[in-house]
Structures are given as structure tokens and as C-alpha cells.
Amino acid sequence: MLVHLDGDRATRLQGDPNHPITQGFLCAKVTRYLDREYHPDRLLYPQKRVGAKGEGRFERISWDDAIGEVASRLSAIAARHGSESILPYSYGGSLGMLNGSGMDRRFFHRLGASRLDRTICASTGSAALQLTLGARTGTEPEQFASSRCIIAWGANILATNVHLWPFIVEARRNGAKLYVIDPLRTKTASLADRHLAIHPGSDAALALGMMHILFRDGLEDRPFLEAHCLGWEAAQEKARSYTPDHVARLTGIPTDAIEEIARDYATRRPSVIRMNYGIQRSERGGVAAHAVSLLPAVIGSWKEVGGGLQLSTSGAFAFNRDALERPDLQWKSALGRQARLRNMSEIGKELQASHESPVHAMVVYNSNPVAIAPNSNLVRAGFAREDLFTVVLEQFLTDTARYADILLPATTFLEHTDLYFAYGHYYLQMARPALPAPGECKSNVEVFRLLALAMGFQDDCFQDSEDDMMRQTLDSKHPALRGITLEELDARKSIRLGISDHGAPYLPHAAGDFGTPSGKCEFHADRLSYRPPRESRHGDGDLREAYPLELISAKVEAGMNSTFGHRDEFDAGCGWLSIHPDDAEERDIVDGDSVDLFNARGSLQLLARRSTVVKPGLVAVSAVRWGARATDGNSINVLTSDTLNDLGGGPSLFSCLVQVRRRPDSDFRSHVAAD
Ligand SMILES: Nc1nc2c(c(=O)[nH]1)N[C@H]1C(S)=C(S)[C@@H](COP(=O)(O)OP(=O)(O)OC[C@H]3O[C@@H](n4cnc5c(=O)[nH]c(N)nc54)[C@H](O)[C@@H]3O)O[C@H]1N2
Ligand SMILES: Nc1nc2c(c(=O)[nH]1)N[C@H]1C(S)=C(S)[C@@H](COP(=O)(O)OP(=O)(O)OC[C@H]3O[C@@H](n4cnc5c(=O)[nH]c(N)nc54)[C@H](O)[C@@H]3O)O[C@H]1N2
Ligand SMILES: [Mo]
């Protein structure tokens, strides 16, 4: 992206017209990033808590005092309770490698802190790809332009992946057909040729149903299966019972649509699947992602430009992560045991004082766990513990920042140097600061460097500059990084990774080459079956009686998880519950009514909107608004479950049963237009 400057002030942000993916435009949320950059609520100085935990009252202190206090408290806690009682918590605030998984990792490794299992977003789907393909390889976005059948599977492309859309538009201009498989009629779904409004969590059944039809009609690519796949015969056998009629009952998708998508997928070639992480955020999301990721092998579409599948692209290249993160500095017990691994999706449980190995200090950066982690009443209770020492590095006073004992002001991506690995595409990028850091903001790299020095860590790596760190990271044997230097990045900013020769289309599995133990695409037929999630209308009977509606709290165009929680429009957008007119009628709810959305885990106050974006039995709320912006102080995740799903230790955010009730005090029934 380009930053237009007037002196040292930015006047406009723009997509780089010369960038093959950005193509001159930015997404809805970042195009207005300057309002965030210069927002009066930016945190500008280090602060120390003076109010109660969570109250958000602080007083300004100096950086020297802040770093001194954090270092001495962490040292004391490590000495008294062991270093594993200290936990870093970070995720998607920055996709920069230095500020997201660089100096911070070195610091916590050296400290001997508990390790964080970063599962909140993508670990389930990643594990599924690993199982099927042996790597997280995926079709290049550019190749979508050559596809004739595109399936967006649990992928709200227009909202969350808008830079793929121009390629889809181009493909459709050439006659491609777009299917969207999503329980919600998202904007993406409403623009599809056919929207399959699947029951949440039933994707494995649909994938097996498609397999059934492909094999039944002889549409499979037998040579590809025979040469490059393992276990497909057993999967074919498994798929036999997933007849279109049966699958229609399991998924809520009409039989004719199941027949149509399977036939088009096999015959309108090349055909490609854009699976996104929406599909794996349910109790059985791992099996679902595994089942879907087998389909390209069944029809042999990995051979074609514009075929295959994309969930992730990150398995096609490898940086020198060891040099960047320095896992060798880690604490190990005399018996070689590594520090405890704590799952970030279970942070509520991890923070309970009664835990077998209690956490006594948290350092949070690039994340807002009080808002975004499931079962947030439990998370909040953990953060409220008086005996928990909490440090938060933030740009804004988020729900989590309110619980900080020491709150440190962070730079934005416009103000620090970083290396950005390719997410959804195959370009490596580097950015130098375009703008000066306001007030006393510091980058994560700088803060962890200062902390390391204050704690007396002598290792040379804590003296490294950002440039040192980038050179170390680029120093990889992986062919995709061959010849890419910091100098070249400085000159060009964005460089295509060497994933194919001379810029030829990237076809990772045209001739097999799977990274699995067998070297083949692996069909794990033993796992391939459909069981309904417990938290679904087909699941556990008792739960369903009390909480008959399924909640999906998916992402929106205007937000980035909870990052833009300070914006009024985003905030207002997340205050609505979409409920089908039939379900609203049954509960005497009209547009604009104030309602309680609740289950056994929590309750949330919202405004209702009758809408056919959801089908009967389903409700939807946009995610994730800060609790601090809601009248009752609650984020949507008071309702979501911290039950882990079936693969990779991920959360089951989208398997969530709820009930809705009109609030007794809802006597003003405002007139609000239905959407
Ligand atoms: N504008 C914007 N862009 C973003 C983000 C953002 O918050 N805002 N977040 C970024 C991040 S962190 C991520 S991980 C990606 C995620 O990108 P996506 O995976 O596209 O986003 P989600 O909203 O998690 O889920 C996508 C869709 O899955 C649907 N879904 C829910 N349950 C099921 C199911 O059981 N089966 C199927 N087939 N579909 C289901 C939801 O209704 C939703 O429309 O987006 C990134 N891009
Ligand atoms: N109900 C529900 N819950 C969800 C999801 C959902 O779809 N529905 N999505 C899940 C997913 S996919 C994800 S990835 C997680 C995301 O959860 P998080 O990773 O916590 O993402 P954000 O809410 O965007 O919060 C990131 C924070 O990092 C801060 N930040 C940005 N850059 C920097 C920096 O350079 N330094 C520091 N110190 N801070 C910085 C931002 O100000 C922001 O407050 O949420 C998950 N939770
Ligand atoms: Mo995510």
C-alpha cells in the first residue's frame, strides 16, 4: 500500500496500483486507517493502573519506570512461582514477523515462560491440510481468474478476502460459475450463482455427498487417484452411504443443488475451491476441512492452472524461524521437558487460580483476549484476579487493556519496520516506518528488547536491530526464498516468492509431490463421517430444548476481529441480532426490539432485526465488538464455547446454541427498516 504524505503527516492511504494483488485498492477497514492512526483515543504514554482491575483508570508513568517495574515483577514471579507461571498471549494484531513472532519469542524463550499454543484462528484447518496434503499449500489467487467453477466454502470473500474478488470477477466474465457454501446469506453469497445455505457444522456430509456423486457418475480422475493418492478406495466406500437425499437431510441443502454442484465441480474445468477458516470453527471442523480438502484430488484438479484449493499459502515457503524466534534459548528441565504449552483458546480455564499450574503473570500484545477468546466470562474472571500481574502492549484501551497493571503504548504498522509474510498470496513484503510514532509509542520489538536488557539477558540476539533480524529470517535454505535479500526488499518492497520457475503458474501437486508421510494425498477414511456437533439443532437433545437457536458470530467487512472496536459504525453494526422472521414471530419480536441473547455461559443485550440473511433456527451477530462499547459490558464471546474441536486444538466458536427473548423493558419499539 502507498502512504501519501504532507511533511510527516499522512494525508491518504492507497492500494499500490503496481501490486499484483492489491491492484490499487484497499479493503473497507484499512482504507480509513488514518482515522485510527490519528485518533484521539490512541494510547500515547506508558501507564500504571490506579483503578480496580478492568475499570480502565490509569496514571502516566515514564518508560524507565514501566520497564523497571515489569522486569522486577516478572523476575520476582519467576523466582517465586517458576517461570512457567508467566504466559505471553499474542495473535493477529500484526502479521509482521518481527513484531508478531520475533523479539517477543526470543524474550519469552529466554525467560522460560509457558509457551502459547496459538490455536484461536487457523490451527484446525492447518492440521487438516497437513493431514491431507502434508503442507499448507494452496492455489495462487491470480489463478482464480482462469477457473470456470469457483466454490467459496465457508469463505466470505467480499468481507474477509476482498483482494481475491477481482480475480473471481474476471473468471465470471469468462463464464465461470460461483458457488457459495455458507449458512448465512452473506454479501458474497448473495452475489453467487448459487448459494448453498448449509446447516452449520455439516460440511463433512456435503463433501462426502459430492464424493458420492463423483464416484457414482464416474467423474473421478482415476489415474490421479491411483498414482498420487492413498486410502481413496476406503473413502469411496465411506461415501457410498452419503446419498444426495441423505446429505440433503443432514445439510439442509436441496438434493438438486448437491447434484448440481458436484457435477459442475467435476465438469466445468478448471474448478477451484476457496475454503476459508469459517468452516473449521465448529466442533467437527477438522474433519470437515479434511473432507473438503480431498475433493481436488478426487477430480484431479491439482493438475490445472486455476484448479486445486486454497485455504492457506504458508506451506509453500519457509523462513529461518529458528534464527528469528530462537527456540534454542528455551528453558528445558533436567529431563529435557520443554516449558508448559497452554492453549490460547482455553485461556479462561488457564487463568483460573485453581489451575494445577497457575498463571501469575500475563504479557498481552497483538491481541484482545477478553473480547475475542471464547467463554469470555471465564476469561474476564481470570483477568480480574488480584494476584495476576498483567502487562498489555496496545494502541487503544481495549477490553483487555483495561485489565492491565502496566499498559504500554504500541506503534501501528505505519510506524515500525517489519517483514510481512505472504497471507493468501505469494508475495513477501517489507515496510519501513512511513510515519513518526506519536507520543511515546514503541514497537513490540523495542519493548521486548528493553525488557530483555532490564532483566539482564546477555545473549547477543537482544542487541539485534530490525535489519539484523530480517537478514537472519531471510537466511533460509528454502528455494522459495532463494536470492531474496534485504537490499532487494528495500528497493522493491514486495517480491514474488520463488515458488515456481520464472513466474510460471504454481502447481504444487500437479505431479503429486505431497508432503505427507506417504508422499501421497492421504484420505483418512476412518475419520470421514458426519456426526452433528453437540451444539447444533441436530445435536444434544437437552441443550437444544433450552437453547434452540444456533448462533454464528462471523467477521464483517467493516471490522478486523476486535481491532476497530473504537469506531462507532463498527460498534453499531455489531449491536444487531439477525433473526429469521419465523423465529422472531414466535418470540413476539419486531425490528428494533431490545432482546437478550443468552445461554448457560452468558447473556448479551442486542437490538433485533428480522432478516432472511439467516434461515429459521439460525441467528447471527457480527463479530467482535468490545464489551466496553456494549450497554451491558459484554462481547459476543460470553456466549461461545471453549470446548476444543476435533483437530489442532482449535476453538468451536461457530458451534453455539442460544435462546433469544424480548427484553421486558423493550417498550420503545423503534421503527427500523429491515435489511
Ligand atoms: N474485513 C475483515 N477481513 C478479515 C477479518 C475481519 O475480521 N474482517 N479477519 C481476518 C481473519 S483473522 C481471518 S481468520 C479470516 C477469516 O476469513 P473467513 O473464514 O472468510 O471468515 P469467517 O467470518 O470466520 O467465516 C467465513 C464464513 O463461514 C461461515 N460459516 C460459519 N459456520 C460455517 C459452517 O459450519 N460451514 C460453512 N460452510 N460455513 C460456515 C460464516 O457464516 C462466514 O460467512 O479473515 C481475515 N480477514
Ligand atoms: N465470536 C468470534 N470470536 C472470534 C472470531 C470470530 O469470528 N467470532 N474470530 C477469531 C479469529 S479468526 C481470530 S484471528 C481472533 C483474533 O483475535 P486477536 O488476534 O486478538 O485480534 P484483534 O481483535 O484484531 O486484536 C488485535 C489487537 O492487536 C493490537 N495491535 C495491532 N498491531 C499491534 C502492534 O504492532 N503491537 C501491539 N502491541 N498491538 C497491536 C490492535 O490494537 C488490537 O487491539 O479472534 C477470534 N475470535
Ligand atoms: Mo483469524
Side-chain angles (χ1 to χ4, degrees):
M1 61 185 275
L2 304 177
V3 185
H4 295 268
L5 296 171
D6 179 7
D8 62 6
R9 205 176 160 86
T11 52
R12 188 161 73 91
L13 300 179
Q14 188 197 348
D16 184 347
N18 295 320
H19 193 281
I21 306 295
T22 310
Q23 295 193 32
F25 76 99
L26 296 175
C27 65
K29 59 202 187 297
V30 171
T31 196
R32 297 190 303 119
Y33 196 88
L34 291 180
D35 75 5
R36 177 176 174 87
E37 176 70 24
Y38 296 121
H39 199 283
D41 294 346
R42 267 291 291 275
L43 299 174
L44 298 176
Y45 307 99
Q47 300 180 79
K48 187 183 167 124
R49 178 169 67 87
V50 291
K53 290 242 181 189
E55 193 186 325
R57 276 204 301 130
F58 297 91
E59 71 180 19
R60 182 173 168 183
I61 56 173
S62 69
W63 267 108
D64 281 351
D65 288 350
I67 293 291
E69 176 150 353
V70 174
S72 69
R73 290 287 300 270
L74 293 183
S75 299
I77 288 167
R80 175 140 182 241
H81 302 286
S83 57
E84 285 174 294
S85 70
I86 300 169
L87 179 66
Y89 197 100
S90 71
Y91 202 69
S94 170
L95 292 188
M97 299 179 75
L98 310 186
N99 286 285
S101 62
M103 198 57 89
D104 53 317
R105 303 296 165 98
R106 295 177 179 186
F107 175 78
F108 291 110
H109 286 151
R110 176 66 179 76
L111 178 61
S114 277
R115 294 169 301 141
L116 186 71
D117 198 3
R118 291 179 168 81
T119 57
I120 195 82
C121 167
S123 67
T124 301
S126 300
L129 288 194
Q130 206 67 38
L131 201 65
T132 313
L133 311 175
R136 283 175 276 164
T137 35
T139 304
E140 290 172 276
E142 293 93 322
Q143 287 186 32
F144 279 65
S146 317
S147 306
R148 294 205 61 242
C149 174
I150 299 171
I151 302 180
W153 204 320
N156 185 4
I157 294 168
L158 268 172
T160 63
N161 184 199
V162 67
H163 288 97
L164 183 61
W165 192 252
F167 301 111
I168 296 178
V169 170
E170 194 180 330
R172 294 178 88 184
R173 218 182 282 130
N174 296 323
K177 201 162 161 184
L178 174 67
Y179 284 93
V180 172
I181 303 171
D182 196 308
L184 306 182
R185 197 181 68 239
T186 61
K187 200 157 123 190
T188 314
S190 66
L191 291 174
D193 294 287
R194 187 135 197 194
H195 170 214
L196 277 49
I198 193 167
H199 290 332
S202 65
D203 302 271
L206 178 59
L208 284 161
M210 287 173 68
M211 246 183 244
H212 174 100
I213 295 166
L214 297 173
F215 283 114
R216 181 199 67 194
D217 296 351
L219 295 170
E220 80 276 17
D221 183 337
R222 198 153 282 253
F224 191 88
L225 286 167
E226 282 171 356
H228 305 303
C229 301
L230 183 76
W232 62 275
E233 300 93 336
Q236 176 182 9
E237 212 34 57
K238 256 298 176 41
R240 236 182 262 285
S241 61
Y242 288 83
T243 60
D245 286 340
H246 181 45
V247 170
R249 280 189 300 275
L250 298 176
T251 60
I253 301 169
T255 312
D256 75 294
I258 299 169
E259 292 278 359
E260 183 188 324
I261 192 174
R263 194 175 49 252
D264 278 345
Y265 180 58
T267 58
R268 297 178 69 92
R269 305 294 282 268
S271 59
V272 67
I273 298 175
R274 173 51 166 148
M275 167 158 71
N276 214 335
Y277 292 104
I279 183 184
Q280 43 105 69
R281 299 187 216 290
S282 76
E283 283 171 34
R284 305 248 303 142
V287 166
H290 173 56
V292 173
S293 68
L294 294 169
L295 295 172
V298 176
I299 62 160
S301 75
W302 286 116
K303 295 185 301 199
E304 297 157 351
V305 174
L309 169 145
Q310 190 200 96
L311 171 62
S312 171
T313 55
S314 62
F317 50 90
F319 296 97
N320 190 345
R321 290 251 177 205
D322 286 353
L324 175 65
E325 303 181 6
R326 295 297 304 272
D328 57 299
L329 297 174
Q330 272 179 95
W331 170 88
K332 280 200 187 70
S333 75
L335 295 172
R337 183 179 72 81
Q338 284 186 296
R340 181 176 275 269
L341 186 65
R342 303 183 194 258
N343 188 331
M344 71 187 303
S345 302
E346 295 184 301
I347 187 62
K349 293 174 196 161
E350 288 292 338
L351 286 184
Q352 297 317 295
S354 57
H355 193 279
E356 55 162 0
S357 167
V359 175
H360 288 281
M362 288 274 288
V363 182
V364 183
Y365 54 101
N366 297 349
S367 186
N368 182 11
V370 171
I372 63 87
N375 197 3
S376 57
N377 279 325
L378 195 67
V379 180
R380 204 179 268 278
F383 273 95
R385 266 172 51 203
E386 280 303 329
D387 63 328
L388 180 74
F389 175 61
T390 304
V391 182
V392 179
L393 287 64
E394 249 303 349
Q395 297 161 346
F396 280 81
L397 188 60
T398 61
D399 290 353
T400 308
R402 288 174 177 273
Y403 284 89
D405 291 293
I406 300 287
L407 180 54
L408 302 173
T411 43
T412 65
F413 72 99
L414 296 171
E415 300 156 6
H416 55 234
T417 297
D418 220 323
L419 189 64
Y420 296 90
F421 80 89
Y423 179 80
H425 55 78
Y426 288 107
Y427 296 84
L428 172 64
Q429 321 195 110
M430 196 271 285
R432 301 277 182 195
L435 299 174
E440 297 180 0
C441 292
K442 288 190 192 299
S443 70
N444 298 344
V445 170
E446 200 179 341
V447 172
F448 287 108
R449 202 189 274 131
L450 288 171
L451 278 175
L453 298 180
M455 307 245 335
F457 298 164
Q458 303 289 327
D459 316 70
D460 290 346
C461 69
F462 295 114
Q463 310 280 350
D464 284 346
S465 67
E466 275 82 343
D467 283 15
D468 294 334
M469 293 173 76
M470 289 193 282
R471 285 186 212 283
Q472 293 155 4
T473 309
L474 293 171
D475 181 16
S476 158
K477 301 264 178 295
H478 197 277
L481 282 146
R482 193 176 301 139
I484 299 184
T485 62
L486 183 57
E487 286 64 31
E488 200 192 352
L489 275 169
D490 250 322
R492 294 173 50 198
K493 307 301 180 204
S494 175
I495 298 179
R496 182 180 153 90
L497 291 159
I499 49 170
S500 59
D501 290 339
H502 311 295
Y506 172 57
L507 295 171
H509 306 302
D513 294 322
F514 293 98
T516 53
S518 65
K520 301 195 166 188
C521 176
E522 295 192 0
F523 288 62
H524 291 261
D526 50 326
R527 295 178 189 252
L528 287 177
S529 65
Y530 171 69
R531 265 190 297 121
R534 196 178 92 91
E535 296 229 8
S536 78
R537 73 187 90 175
H538 308 286
D540 185 296
D542 293 341
L543 253 189
R544 211 171 61 229
E545 253 162 57
Y547 309 111
L549 301 169
E550 287 183 80
L551 167 70
I552 290 185
S553 51
K555 296 168 180 58
V556 281
E557 196 176 347
M560 174 64 203
N561 301 313
S562 78
T563 293
F564 297 104
H566 63 289
R567 280 183 182 157
D568 291 337
E569 326 79 78
F570 173 70
D571 176 53
C574 295
W576 291 91
L577 172 81
S578 297
I579 181 168
H580 190 273
D582 295 351
D583 291 321
E585 194 65 44
E586 207 179 286
R587 291 164 179 80
D588 187 26
I589 290 168
V590 300
D591 280 344
D593 270 350
S594 171
V595 294
D596 287 320
L597 182 67
F598 62 97
N599 60 21
R601 289 177 289 267
S603 166
L604 186 70
Q605 201 178 315
L606 296 162
L607 296 173
R609 168 167 57 201
R610 292 175 175 224
S611 166
T612 52
V613 159
V614 289
K615 51 185 185 176
L618 198 60
V619 292
V621 178
S622 300
V624 176
R625 141 159 107 166
W626 294 350
R629 299 290 306 246
T631 38
D632 55 3
N634 290 328
S635 101
I636 188 72
N637 284 314
V638 297
L639 302 173
T640 54
S641 158
D642 54 5
T643 302
L644 298 183
N645 65 20
D646 58 340
L647 198 65
S652 49
L653 291 161
F654 293 171
S655 293
C656 182
L657 284 173
V658 291
Q659 179 55 298
V660 181
R661 173 174 57 210
R662 189 164 70 82
R663 287 178 63 81
D665 59 350
S666 181
D667 49 0
F668 86 89
R669 288 191 157 193
S670 58
H671 182 77
V672 187
D675 67 333

